[in-house]
Amino acid sequence: MITRNYKIGFIVLTILFAIANTVDAQNSAIEEKIKSRAAHKVGLLGEYIGTIADKSQGDLRTRLHFCDKALSLFIGKGGPYEEDGVERKGVVMEVTSVNRKNADGSPYVNRRLMKNYFNGLANLRYDAVSIETTDVADIKVSNLHRVADNLFVCTCFFEQAFTGYKDGRPVYKDITRKAVKCYVIQDEIEPELIEEGGDRYEYLVLLGDVRAIDTVRVK
Amino acid sequence: MRKLILFLVAINLQTTSAQLSKLLNRDQYMAQIQLVDEFFDRFNNIEVRPDVSNEITKDRKSNILLLFDLALFNSKKDPLFGEAEQFAEKVVSDSVTISYSDTAWYAKAVCRSYFMKQAVDFTLYLKVEERGKDMYKWVITKAEGNVLSLKSEKKHKQQMIMPDDHETNFMSLFRMTDETSEYITDFTSSRFELDQTSVFLAMVKMGLLKIEYVKDLQFFFNQVPGYQFSIKYVERKNMNAGWLINSFKKR
Protein backbone atom coordinates (compact mmCIF):
# COMPACT_ATOMS: atom_id res chain seq x y z
CA MET A 1 0.00 0.00 0.00
CA ILE A 2 2.80 2.37 1.00
CA THR A 3 4.73 1.51 -2.18
CA ARG A 4 1.61 2.26 -4.26
CA ASN A 5 1.22 5.68 -2.58
CA TYR A 6 4.85 6.44 -3.28
CA LYS A 7 4.35 5.54 -6.94
CA ILE A 8 1.28 7.80 -7.23
CA GLY A 9 3.15 10.61 -5.45
CA PHE A 10 6.09 10.19 -7.81
CA ILE A 11 3.84 10.31 -10.90
CA VAL A 12 2.02 13.44 -9.60
CA LEU A 13 5.34 15.15 -8.87
CA THR A 14 6.68 14.24 -12.32
CA ILE A 15 3.57 15.68 -13.97
CA LEU A 16 3.77 18.89 -11.88
CA PHE A 17 7.46 19.23 -12.69
CA ALA A 18 6.76 18.77 -16.41
CA ILE A 19 3.95 21.38 -16.26
CA ALA A 20 6.23 23.83 -14.41
CA ASN A 21 8.96 23.29 -17.01
CA THR A 22 6.50 23.86 -19.84
CA VAL A 23 5.20 27.08 -18.23
CA ASP A 24 8.79 28.27 -17.68
CA ALA A 25 9.66 27.51 -21.29
CA GLN A 26 6.54 29.35 -22.50
CA ASN A 27 7.29 32.38 -20.28
CA SER A 28 10.86 32.42 -21.47
CA ALA A 29 9.74 32.26 -25.11
CA ILE A 30 7.27 35.11 -24.53
CA GLU A 31 9.98 37.18 -22.81
CA GLU A 32 12.33 36.62 -25.75
CA LYS A 33 9.54 37.60 -28.16
CA ILE A 34 8.90 40.84 -26.24
CA LYS A 35 12.61 41.65 -26.03
CA SER A 36 12.97 41.06 -29.74
CA ARG A 37 10.01 43.38 -30.39
CA ALA A 38 11.59 46.07 -28.19
CA ALA A 39 14.91 45.72 -30.04
CA HIS A 40 13.08 46.00 -33.37
CA LYS A 41 11.38 49.24 -32.23
CA VAL A 42 14.70 50.67 -31.09
CA GLY A 43 16.22 49.63 -34.41
CA LEU A 44 13.50 51.63 -36.18
CA LEU A 45 14.42 54.64 -34.05
CA GLY A 46 18.04 54.27 -35.19
CA GLU A 47 16.91 54.20 -38.83
CA TYR A 48 14.72 57.28 -38.42
CA ILE A 49 17.54 59.20 -36.74
CA GLY A 50 19.72 58.45 -39.77
CA THR A 51 17.05 59.65 -42.19
CA ILE A 52 16.18 62.80 -40.22
CA ALA A 53 19.81 63.91 -40.01
CA ASP A 54 20.86 63.17 -43.58
CA LYS A 55 20.05 66.03 -45.98
CA SER A 56 20.67 63.74 -48.94
CA GLN A 57 17.54 61.81 -47.88
CA GLY A 58 15.22 64.66 -48.81
CA ASP A 59 14.30 68.28 -48.15
CA LEU A 60 13.57 69.61 -44.69
CA ARG A 61 9.83 69.02 -45.04
CA THR A 62 10.36 65.37 -45.91
CA ARG A 63 12.76 64.86 -43.04
CA LEU A 64 10.41 66.61 -40.60
CA HIS A 65 7.80 64.07 -41.68
CA PHE A 66 10.22 61.40 -40.46
CA CYS A 67 10.50 63.33 -37.15
CA ASP A 68 6.75 62.71 -36.71
CA LYS A 69 7.19 59.04 -37.60
CA ALA A 70 10.03 58.76 -35.07
CA LEU A 71 7.98 60.53 -32.39
CA SER A 72 5.15 58.04 -32.91
CA LEU A 73 7.48 55.36 -31.53
CA PHE A 74 7.46 57.10 -28.15
CA ILE A 75 4.99 57.17 -25.32
CA GLY A 76 2.73 60.21 -25.76
CA LYS A 77 4.12 60.54 -29.31
CA GLY A 78 6.86 62.73 -27.82
CA GLY A 79 4.32 65.15 -26.32
CA PRO A 80 2.98 65.39 -22.76
CA TYR A 81 1.63 62.15 -21.37
CA GLU A 82 0.09 60.95 -18.16
CA GLU A 83 1.66 58.26 -16.00
CA ASP A 84 -0.28 57.01 -12.99
CA GLY A 85 -2.14 60.31 -12.66
CA VAL A 86 0.99 62.44 -13.03
CA GLU A 87 1.39 64.72 -16.03
CA ARG A 88 4.79 64.23 -17.71
CA LYS A 89 6.26 66.91 -19.98
CA GLY A 90 7.24 64.45 -22.70
CA VAL A 91 10.05 61.99 -23.26
CA VAL A 92 13.54 63.43 -23.22
CA MET A 93 16.96 62.76 -24.67
CA GLU A 94 19.73 63.21 -22.10
CA VAL A 95 23.14 63.68 -23.65
CA THR A 96 26.21 63.26 -21.46
CA SER A 97 29.46 64.27 -23.11
CA VAL A 98 32.67 62.59 -22.09
CA ASN A 99 34.88 65.23 -23.69
CA ARG A 100 32.91 68.34 -22.83
CA LYS A 101 33.04 69.41 -19.16
CA ASN A 102 31.39 72.09 -17.08
CA ALA A 103 33.56 74.84 -15.56
CA ASP A 104 33.86 72.85 -12.31
CA GLY A 105 35.07 69.76 -14.16
CA SER A 106 31.79 67.85 -13.88
CA PRO A 107 30.50 66.14 -17.06
CA TYR A 108 28.37 68.20 -19.38
CA VAL A 109 24.80 66.95 -19.40
CA ASN A 110 22.11 68.32 -21.67
CA ARG A 111 18.47 67.21 -21.58
CA ARG A 112 16.03 68.05 -24.37
CA LEU A 113 12.49 67.12 -25.21
CA MET A 114 12.60 64.45 -27.92
CA LYS A 115 10.77 66.59 -30.48
CA ASN A 116 13.31 69.39 -29.98
CA TYR A 117 16.14 66.89 -30.31
CA PHE A 118 14.73 65.61 -33.63
CA ASN A 119 14.20 69.15 -34.93
CA GLY A 120 17.83 69.94 -34.11
CA LEU A 121 18.87 66.76 -35.90
CA ALA A 122 16.97 67.81 -39.03
CA ASN A 123 18.77 71.16 -39.08
CA LEU A 124 22.38 70.12 -38.65
CA ARG A 125 24.99 72.26 -40.39
CA TYR A 126 26.44 69.43 -42.45
CA ASP A 127 25.74 68.94 -46.17
CA ALA A 128 25.23 65.25 -45.55
CA VAL A 129 25.62 62.81 -42.71
CA SER A 130 25.94 59.08 -42.44
CA ILE A 131 24.79 57.23 -39.37
CA GLU A 132 25.78 53.66 -38.63
CA THR A 133 23.70 51.86 -35.98
CA THR A 134 24.16 48.57 -34.14
CA ASP A 135 22.36 45.74 -35.97
CA VAL A 136 18.94 45.02 -34.47
CA ALA A 137 20.08 41.47 -33.64
CA ASP A 138 22.93 42.90 -31.56
CA ILE A 139 20.87 45.45 -29.58
CA LYS A 140 21.26 44.53 -25.93
CA VAL A 141 18.00 44.26 -24.00
CA SER A 142 17.81 44.15 -20.20
CA ASN A 143 15.53 41.78 -18.32
CA LEU A 144 11.84 42.48 -18.47
CA HIS A 145 10.33 43.89 -15.27
CA ARG A 146 6.61 43.84 -14.58
CA VAL A 147 5.35 47.14 -13.14
CA ALA A 148 1.59 46.54 -13.44
CA ASP A 149 -0.73 43.71 -14.52
CA ASN A 150 -0.42 44.66 -18.18
CA LEU A 151 2.73 46.74 -18.23
CA PHE A 152 6.42 45.81 -18.37
CA VAL A 153 9.59 47.88 -18.70
CA CYS A 154 13.05 47.13 -20.01
CA THR A 155 16.05 49.01 -21.38
CA CYS A 156 17.64 48.64 -24.83
CA PHE A 157 21.23 49.56 -25.50
CA PHE A 158 22.86 50.33 -28.84
CA GLU A 159 25.64 52.37 -30.45
CA GLN A 160 25.53 54.93 -33.23
CA ALA A 161 28.41 56.30 -35.26
CA PHE A 162 27.87 59.69 -36.82
CA THR A 163 29.83 61.24 -39.69
CA GLY A 164 29.11 64.80 -40.86
CA TYR A 165 30.24 65.84 -44.37
CA LYS A 166 30.96 69.23 -45.88
CA ASP A 167 31.84 69.62 -49.53
CA GLY A 168 31.88 65.85 -49.78
CA ARG A 169 34.52 65.40 -47.08
CA PRO A 170 34.01 64.02 -43.59
CA VAL A 171 34.57 66.85 -41.10
CA TYR A 172 33.18 65.36 -37.89
CA LYS A 173 32.82 61.83 -36.52
CA ASP A 174 31.61 60.57 -33.19
CA ILE A 175 30.22 57.48 -31.51
CA THR A 176 27.27 57.73 -29.14
CA ARG A 177 25.89 54.96 -26.99
CA LYS A 178 22.20 55.11 -26.28
CA ALA A 179 20.13 53.45 -23.58
CA VAL A 180 16.40 53.58 -24.33
CA LYS A 181 13.68 52.92 -21.79
CA CYS A 182 10.93 50.70 -23.25
CA TYR A 183 7.36 50.34 -22.05
CA VAL A 184 5.70 47.07 -23.07
CA ILE A 185 1.90 47.09 -22.91
CA GLN A 186 0.23 43.69 -22.81
CA ASP A 187 -3.18 43.46 -24.51
CA GLU A 188 -5.46 40.45 -24.44
CA ILE A 189 -6.44 39.17 -27.89
CA GLU A 190 -10.10 38.39 -28.60
CA PRO A 191 -10.44 34.59 -28.16
CA GLU A 192 -11.75 34.12 -31.70
CA LEU A 193 -8.69 35.87 -33.12
CA ILE A 194 -6.11 33.69 -31.34
CA GLU A 195 -4.30 31.43 -33.78
CA GLU A 196 -3.94 27.79 -32.89
CA GLY A 197 -1.10 27.45 -30.38
CA GLY A 198 -0.67 31.22 -30.49
CA ASP A 199 -0.16 33.64 -27.64
CA ARG A 200 -3.35 35.02 -26.02
CA TYR A 201 -1.68 38.40 -25.62
CA GLU A 202 -0.19 40.92 -27.98
CA TYR A 203 2.53 43.31 -26.91
CA LEU A 204 2.84 46.96 -27.88
CA VAL A 205 6.26 48.55 -27.32
CA LEU A 206 6.50 52.30 -26.76
CA LEU A 207 9.80 54.04 -26.18
CA GLY A 208 10.54 56.33 -23.23
CA ASP A 209 13.43 58.55 -22.15
CA VAL A 210 16.74 58.04 -23.90
CA ARG A 211 20.16 58.46 -22.36
CA ALA A 212 23.01 59.10 -24.74
CA ILE A 213 25.72 57.67 -22.54
CA ASP A 214 28.73 59.30 -24.07
CA THR A 215 29.99 60.89 -27.20
CA VAL A 216 33.46 59.86 -28.24
CA ARG A 217 34.93 62.04 -30.93
CA VAL A 218 36.56 59.94 -33.62
CA LYS A 219 39.57 61.49 -35.35
CA MET B 1 50.55 27.50 -17.62
CA ARG B 2 49.18 27.56 -21.19
CA LYS B 3 45.82 28.50 -19.73
CA LEU B 4 47.35 31.42 -17.83
CA ILE B 5 49.15 32.69 -20.96
CA LEU B 6 45.95 32.44 -22.99
CA PHE B 7 44.10 34.30 -20.25
CA LEU B 8 46.65 37.10 -20.11
CA VAL B 9 46.59 37.44 -23.89
CA ALA B 10 42.80 37.65 -23.76
CA ILE B 11 42.66 40.30 -21.07
CA ASN B 12 45.24 42.42 -22.82
CA LEU B 13 43.35 42.56 -26.09
CA GLN B 14 42.97 46.22 -26.85
CA THR B 15 41.14 46.43 -30.12
CA THR B 16 40.24 44.18 -32.96
CA SER B 17 40.33 45.05 -36.60
CA ALA B 18 37.22 43.11 -37.49
CA GLN B 19 35.47 46.14 -38.94
CA LEU B 20 38.15 48.46 -40.18
CA SER B 21 35.87 50.05 -42.74
CA LYS B 22 33.23 50.90 -40.17
CA LEU B 23 33.31 53.23 -37.20
CA LEU B 24 31.49 50.83 -34.91
CA ASN B 25 33.50 47.94 -33.60
CA ARG B 26 31.07 45.04 -33.12
CA ASP B 27 33.55 42.75 -31.39
CA GLN B 28 34.32 45.46 -28.85
CA TYR B 29 30.63 46.25 -28.37
CA MET B 30 29.77 42.60 -27.74
CA ALA B 31 32.68 42.15 -25.32
CA GLN B 32 31.87 45.23 -23.24
CA ILE B 33 29.29 44.98 -20.45
CA GLN B 34 26.76 47.68 -21.28
CA LEU B 35 23.89 46.63 -19.05
CA VAL B 36 23.93 45.78 -15.34
CA ASP B 37 21.82 42.73 -16.24
CA GLU B 38 24.64 41.69 -18.55
CA PHE B 39 27.05 41.91 -15.60
CA PHE B 40 24.72 39.61 -13.63
CA ASP B 41 24.70 37.08 -16.48
CA ARG B 42 28.49 37.12 -16.84
CA PHE B 43 29.00 36.83 -13.08
CA ASN B 44 26.57 33.91 -12.92
CA ASN B 45 28.30 32.21 -15.89
CA ILE B 46 25.08 32.34 -17.94
CA GLU B 47 26.91 34.40 -20.55
CA VAL B 48 30.64 34.60 -21.29
CA ARG B 49 32.79 37.13 -23.09
CA PRO B 50 32.29 36.21 -26.74
CA ASP B 51 35.77 37.21 -27.92
CA VAL B 52 37.59 34.93 -25.48
CA SER B 53 38.34 31.32 -26.39
CA ASN B 54 36.35 28.42 -24.95
CA GLU B 55 39.48 27.11 -23.30
CA ILE B 56 39.40 30.13 -20.98
CA THR B 57 35.68 30.70 -20.62
CA LYS B 58 34.95 27.11 -19.58
CA ASP B 59 36.71 28.04 -16.33
CA ARG B 60 34.42 30.17 -14.16
CA LYS B 61 37.34 31.65 -12.23
CA SER B 62 38.69 33.15 -15.48
CA ASN B 63 35.26 34.54 -16.29
CA ILE B 64 35.09 36.25 -12.90
CA LEU B 65 38.57 37.75 -13.40
CA LEU B 66 37.43 39.08 -16.78
CA LEU B 67 34.81 41.15 -14.92
CA PHE B 68 37.49 43.24 -13.18
CA ASP B 69 38.57 46.67 -14.36
CA LEU B 70 42.06 45.62 -15.37
CA ALA B 71 43.35 49.15 -14.79
CA LEU B 72 43.33 48.15 -11.10
CA PHE B 73 46.36 45.94 -11.68
CA ASN B 74 49.87 46.93 -12.69
CA SER B 75 50.76 43.43 -13.84
CA LYS B 76 49.99 39.80 -13.11
CA LYS B 77 52.54 40.08 -10.28
CA ASP B 78 50.57 42.87 -8.65
CA PRO B 79 49.56 41.63 -5.16
CA LEU B 80 46.09 43.03 -5.83
CA PHE B 81 45.74 40.66 -8.79
CA GLY B 82 46.53 37.80 -6.42
CA GLU B 83 43.75 39.04 -4.11
CA ALA B 84 41.40 39.23 -7.08
CA GLU B 85 42.23 35.60 -7.86
CA GLN B 86 41.38 34.67 -4.26
CA PHE B 87 38.10 36.53 -4.63
CA ALA B 88 37.32 34.64 -7.84
CA GLU B 89 38.23 31.32 -6.17
CA LYS B 90 35.79 32.13 -3.35
CA VAL B 91 33.02 32.85 -5.86
CA VAL B 92 33.68 29.50 -7.55
CA SER B 93 34.14 27.41 -4.39
CA ASP B 94 30.93 28.78 -2.82
CA SER B 95 29.04 28.67 -6.14
CA VAL B 96 27.99 32.29 -5.55
CA THR B 97 25.37 33.75 -7.85
CA ILE B 98 23.86 37.22 -7.76
CA SER B 99 20.29 38.15 -8.59
CA TYR B 100 18.37 41.36 -9.19
CA SER B 101 15.92 40.49 -6.40
CA ASP B 102 18.68 39.95 -3.79
CA THR B 103 18.59 42.24 -0.79
CA ALA B 104 22.39 42.11 -0.54
CA TRP B 105 23.12 44.71 -3.21
CA TYR B 106 22.50 48.44 -3.44
CA ALA B 107 23.21 51.48 -5.58
CA LYS B 108 25.16 54.58 -4.59
CA ALA B 109 24.27 57.54 -6.79
CA VAL B 110 26.09 60.84 -6.48
CA CYS B 111 23.60 63.46 -7.61
CA ARG B 112 24.37 66.91 -9.00
CA SER B 113 21.84 69.41 -7.76
CA TYR B 114 21.34 73.11 -7.29
CA PHE B 115 20.57 74.62 -3.90
CA MET B 116 20.17 78.39 -3.57
CA LYS B 117 21.58 78.68 -7.13
CA GLN B 118 24.77 76.87 -6.11
CA ALA B 119 25.85 73.51 -7.53
CA VAL B 120 25.91 70.89 -4.79
CA ASP B 121 26.47 67.15 -4.79
CA PHE B 122 24.92 64.64 -2.44
CA THR B 123 24.59 60.88 -2.35
CA LEU B 124 21.52 58.71 -2.54
CA TYR B 125 21.63 55.03 -1.57
CA LEU B 126 18.99 52.88 -3.24
CA LYS B 127 17.98 49.26 -3.04
CA VAL B 128 15.50 46.93 -4.71
CA GLU B 129 12.26 46.31 -2.80
CA GLU B 130 9.49 43.84 -3.61
CA ARG B 131 6.12 45.51 -4.21
CA GLY B 132 3.98 42.51 -5.13
CA LYS B 133 4.30 39.13 -6.74
CA ASP B 134 7.27 39.28 -9.15
CA MET B 135 7.21 43.07 -9.00
CA TYR B 136 10.00 45.24 -7.66
CA LYS B 137 11.04 48.85 -7.44
CA TRP B 138 14.09 50.85 -6.41
CA VAL B 139 13.70 52.72 -3.12
CA ILE B 140 15.82 55.35 -1.39
CA THR B 141 17.34 53.98 1.81
CA LYS B 142 19.59 56.88 2.73
CA ALA B 143 20.63 60.36 1.65
CA GLU B 144 23.83 62.07 2.72
CA GLY B 145 25.83 65.14 1.83
CA ASN B 146 27.05 68.46 3.17
CA VAL B 147 23.98 70.27 1.91
CA LEU B 148 21.82 67.89 3.96
CA SER B 149 23.86 68.27 7.16
CA LEU B 150 22.49 71.81 7.64
CA LYS B 151 25.82 72.79 9.19
CA SER B 152 26.82 76.42 8.94
CA GLU B 153 30.24 77.39 7.65
CA LYS B 154 30.32 80.40 9.97
CA LYS B 155 31.34 79.78 13.58
CA HIS B 156 29.79 81.47 16.61
CA LYS B 157 29.87 81.05 20.35
CA GLN B 158 26.73 82.42 21.84
CA GLN B 159 23.90 81.80 19.42
CA MET B 160 21.52 79.92 21.68
CA ILE B 161 18.21 80.12 23.40
CA MET B 162 19.15 82.06 26.48
CA PRO B 163 18.91 80.36 29.89
CA ASP B 164 16.21 82.75 31.11
CA ASP B 165 14.08 82.70 27.97
CA HIS B 166 11.40 80.69 29.73
CA GLU B 167 10.56 83.88 31.61
CA THR B 168 9.76 85.74 28.39
CA ASN B 169 7.48 83.12 26.90
CA PHE B 170 10.42 82.06 24.68
CA MET B 171 9.78 85.18 22.66
CA SER B 172 13.35 84.97 21.26
CA LEU B 173 12.33 81.98 19.16
CA PHE B 174 11.26 84.39 16.45
CA ARG B 175 14.86 85.64 16.33
CA MET B 176 16.10 82.07 15.99
CA THR B 177 14.14 81.54 12.77
CA ASP B 178 14.38 85.11 11.47
CA GLU B 179 17.92 86.19 12.26
CA THR B 180 19.89 83.03 12.98
CA SER B 181 18.23 80.41 10.80
CA GLU B 182 21.62 79.54 9.34
CA TYR B 183 22.70 78.16 12.73
CA ILE B 184 19.49 76.27 13.39
CA THR B 185 21.19 72.96 14.22
CA ASP B 186 23.10 74.68 17.05
CA PHE B 187 19.85 75.24 18.89
CA THR B 188 19.24 71.52 19.38
CA SER B 189 20.39 69.24 22.16
CA SER B 190 23.96 67.97 21.94
CA ARG B 191 22.48 64.48 21.80
CA PHE B 192 20.28 65.23 18.83
CA GLU B 193 21.23 63.32 15.69
CA LEU B 194 20.16 64.87 12.43
CA ASP B 195 18.58 62.50 9.92
CA GLN B 196 19.89 63.65 6.54
CA THR B 197 17.40 61.48 4.65
CA SER B 198 14.52 63.36 6.26
CA VAL B 199 16.23 66.65 5.41
CA PHE B 200 16.49 65.49 1.78
CA LEU B 201 12.79 64.58 1.68
CA ALA B 202 11.80 67.91 3.23
CA MET B 203 13.98 69.95 0.87
CA VAL B 204 12.56 68.20 -2.19
CA LYS B 205 9.01 68.53 -0.90
CA MET B 206 9.56 72.28 -0.41
CA GLY B 207 11.04 72.60 -3.90
CA LEU B 208 14.44 73.67 -2.53
CA LEU B 209 16.43 70.83 -4.06
CA LYS B 210 16.12 69.53 -7.61
CA ILE B 211 18.33 66.80 -9.01
CA GLU B 212 19.95 67.79 -12.29
CA TYR B 213 21.57 64.47 -13.11
CA VAL B 214 23.41 61.48 -11.63
CA LYS B 215 27.09 62.35 -11.66
CA ASP B 216 28.50 59.05 -10.50
CA LEU B 217 26.95 55.62 -10.01
CA GLN B 218 28.23 52.47 -8.37
CA PHE B 219 26.57 49.24 -7.30
CA PHE B 220 27.77 47.40 -4.20
CA PHE B 221 27.36 43.65 -3.70
CA ASN B 222 27.60 41.65 -0.46
CA GLN B 223 26.70 38.19 -1.79
CA VAL B 224 30.26 36.80 -1.81
CA PRO B 225 30.96 35.49 1.73
CA GLY B 226 33.58 37.65 3.45
CA TYR B 227 33.72 40.21 0.64
CA GLN B 228 32.11 43.38 -0.60
CA PHE B 229 32.68 44.42 -4.20
CA SER B 230 31.43 47.25 -6.36
CA ILE B 231 30.94 47.82 -10.07
CA LYS B 232 31.17 51.04 -12.02
CA TYR B 233 30.73 51.94 -15.69
CA VAL B 234 34.22 52.23 -17.16
CA GLU B 235 34.57 54.22 -20.35
CA ARG B 236 37.38 52.84 -22.44
CA LYS B 237 37.99 51.95 -26.08
CA ASN B 238 38.84 48.30 -25.61
CA MET B 239 37.23 45.02 -24.62
CA ASN B 240 37.65 45.65 -20.89
CA ALA B 241 34.99 48.34 -20.52
CA GLY B 242 31.44 48.90 -19.34
CA TRP B 243 30.18 47.68 -15.96
CA LEU B 244 33.30 46.26 -14.28
CA ILE B 245 34.41 45.44 -10.74
CA ASN B 246 36.21 48.59 -9.65
CA SER B 247 36.76 47.69 -5.99
CA PHE B 248 36.62 44.70 -3.68
CA LYS B 249 37.53 44.31 -0.05
CA LYS B 250 37.38 41.72 2.67
CA ARG B 251 34.68 42.33 5.23
Side-chain angles (χ1 to χ4, degrees):
Chain A
M1 185 65 180
I2 292 170
T3 314
R4 189 167 167 255
N5 282 346
Y6 269 129
K7 274 183 185 167
I8 292 168
F10 179 75
I11 291 165
V12 169
L13 272 176
T14 307
I15 292 168
L16 286 175
F17 189 67
I19 291 170
N21 271 349
T22 310
V23 170
D24 274 355
Q26 279 173 349
N27 285 344
S28 176
I30 291 168
E31 182 161 346
E32 285 312 309
K33 181 177 158 186
I34 297 171
K35 282 181 167 186
S36 154
R37 199 156 287 183
H40 176 73
K41 213 62 179 259
V42 170
L44 264 180
L45 171 66
E47 280 180 30
Y48 285 143
I49 286 175
T51 309
I52 294 165
D54 188 1
K55 289 180 181 167
S56 66
Q57 298 276 333
D59 59 12
L60 183 62
R61 199 173 150 197
T62 308
R63 286 179 292 116
L64 287 176
H65 168 69
F66 278 97
C67 287
D68 291 339
K69 284 183 83 106
L71 286 170
S72 70
L73 301 174
F74 289 88
I75 190 163
K77 294 186 177 358
Y81 64 96
E82 192 193 291
E83 193 173 13
D84 195 24
V86 175
E87 185 81 4
R88 307 277 190 206
K89 286 174 189 163
V91 286
V92 294
M93 168 76 79
E94 183 181 281
V95 181
T96 306
S97 173
V98 168
N99 299 321
R100 200 170 155 193
K101 304 266 184 202
N102 292 319
D104 65 353
S106 59
Y108 173 80
V109 178
N110 186 20
R111 197 176 295 133
R112 297 167 79 183
L113 280 173
M114 200 58 69
K115 58 183 176 184
N116 295 343
Y117 169 77
F118 286 145
N119 279 336
L121 209 56
N123 288 290
L124 290 174
R125 59 194 168 91
Y126 304 105
D127 301 336
V129 303
S130 69
I131 288 182
E132 184 193 341
T133 305
T134 302
D135 288 343
V136 172
D138 290 339
I139 289 175
K140 297 182 179 183
V141 188
S142 75
N143 289 335
L144 212 57
H145 293 277
R146 186 187 283 275
V147 291
D149 283 345
N150 61 346
L151 183 66
F152 300 84
V153 288
C154 64
T155 303
C156 288
F157 184 96
F158 68 103
E159 288 184 327
Q160 267 190 331
F162 174 98
T163 308
Y165 297 87
K166 271 195 171 178
D167 301 325
R169 289 186 315 176
V171 290
Y172 178 82
K173 293 177 187 175
D174 72 28
I175 294 175
T176 305
R177 299 158 184 214
K178 293 188 168 88
V180 187
K181 173 100 166 185
C182 298
Y183 295 85
V184 183
I185 299 155
Q186 183 185 50
D187 264 339
E188 204 157 353
I189 302 172
E190 297 289 328
E192 60 272 21
L193 296 175
I194 301 173
E195 290 171 19
E196 197 177 322
D199 193 353
R200 55 189 274 239
Y201 297 103
E202 59 182 5
Y203 301 94
L204 171 68
V205 178
L206 288 172
L207 308 183
D209 293 339
V210 180
R211 180 168 182 242
I213 289 171
D214 62 275
T215 303
V216 182
R217 180 92 186 255
V218 181
K219 295 193 174 137
Chain B
M1 187 62 190
R2 187 165 170 259
K3 215 170 177 181
L4 181 66
I5 293 167
L6 280 169
F7 176 74
L8 291 172
V9 168
I11 64 176
N12 282 312
L13 280 174
Q14 294 302 301
T15 54
T16 61
S17 54
Q19 296 190 346
L20 281 177
S21 59
K22 293 181 172 185
L23 286 176
L24 296 183
N25 184 330
R26 182 179 182 271
D27 291 348
Q28 201 166 279
Y29 167 84
M30 297 306 280
Q32 295 176 348
I33 307 173
Q34 312 291 7
L35 297 165
V36 177
D37 279 348
E38 212 177 351
F39 178 86
F40 276 87
D41 286 348
R42 297 238 184 136
F43 187 96
N44 294 339
N45 232 21
I46 293 168
E47 180 189 304
V48 293
R49 225 173 85 169
D51 60 305
V52 177
S53 78
N54 282 344
E55 198 156 341
I56 293 165
T57 56
K58 69 183 180 191
D59 175 26
R60 189 176 178 205
K61 183 186 160 189
S62 300
N63 292 332
I64 295 294
L65 288 170
L66 285 166
L67 297 176
F68 278 83
D69 175 1
L70 297 174
L72 291 173
F73 315 115
N74 293 323
S75 69
K76 63 175 182 176
K77 288 178 184 162
D78 190 329
L80 193 62
F81 187 73
E83 288 175 35
E85 283 190 294
Q86 285 174 25
F87 169 86
E89 281 159 12
K90 185 71 181 165
V91 172
V92 177
S93 66
D94 285 36
S95 304
V96 179
T97 55
I98 54 175
S99 157
Y100 171 85
S101 56
D102 288 347
T103 52
W105 74 300
Y106 63 91
K108 181 184 177 188
V110 177
C111 303
R112 168 53 58 98
S113 178
Y114 283 87
F115 177 69
M116 312 280 269
K117 294 184 181 171
Q118 281 218 314
V120 290
D121 293 337
F122 63 89
T123 305
L124 287 183
Y125 293 86
L126 304 105
K127 64 180 281 194
V128 171
E129 192 172 274
E130 196 167 3
R131 54 181 280 264
K133 190 176 179 296
D134 295 333
M135 288 203 280
Y136 298 88
K137 61 178 177 176
W138 282 97
V139 292
I140 294 165
T141 54
K142 194 168 85 168
E144 66 180 20
N146 281 342
V147 69
L148 306 174
S149 73
L150 305 182
K151 291 278 181 225
S152 171
E153 286 176 8
K154 293 178 191 169
K155 297 288 172 203
H156 63 82
K157 284 180 183 166
Q158 290 187 354
Q159 291 302 332
M160 61 183 140
I161 304 168
M162 291 293 173
D164 63 334
D165 273 11
H166 57 290
E167 302 293 3
T168 56
N169 208 37
F170 288 112
M171 66 175 282
S172 69
L173 289 181
F174 90 90
R175 292 197 183 279
M176 178 184 78
T177 55
D178 267 20
E179 298 163 359
T180 50
S181 59
E182 198 179 330
Y183 313 117
I184 188 64
T185 53
D186 296 329
F187 291 86
T188 61
S189 159
S190 56
R191 286 190 289 275
F192 173 74
E193 283 183 37
L194 188 87
D195 170 15
Q196 295 194 8
T197 310
S198 300
V199 174
F200 164 74
L201 299 178
M203 280 185 168
V204 173
K205 178 94 178 171
M206 303 289 194
L208 297 170
L209 197 65
K210 290 189 191 296
I211 294 173
E212 291 289 311
Y213 57 89
V214 174
K215 191 176 156 184
D216 187 69
L217 180 62
Q218 286 185 81
F219 295 94
F220 290 82
F221 298 82
N222 292 308
Q223 289 94 327
V224 182
Y227 285 94
Q228 181 183 68
F229 71 95
S230 63
I231 62 170
K232 184 176 170 136
Y233 194 88
V234 176
E235 191 53 60
R236 197 182 287 140
K237 285 185 204 171
N238 66 28
M239 307 293 194
N240 180 232
W243 288 105
L244 296 171
I245 298 174
N246 70 322
S247 79
F248 65 106
K249 62 179 183 190
K250 282 189 171 163
R251 278 186 281 152

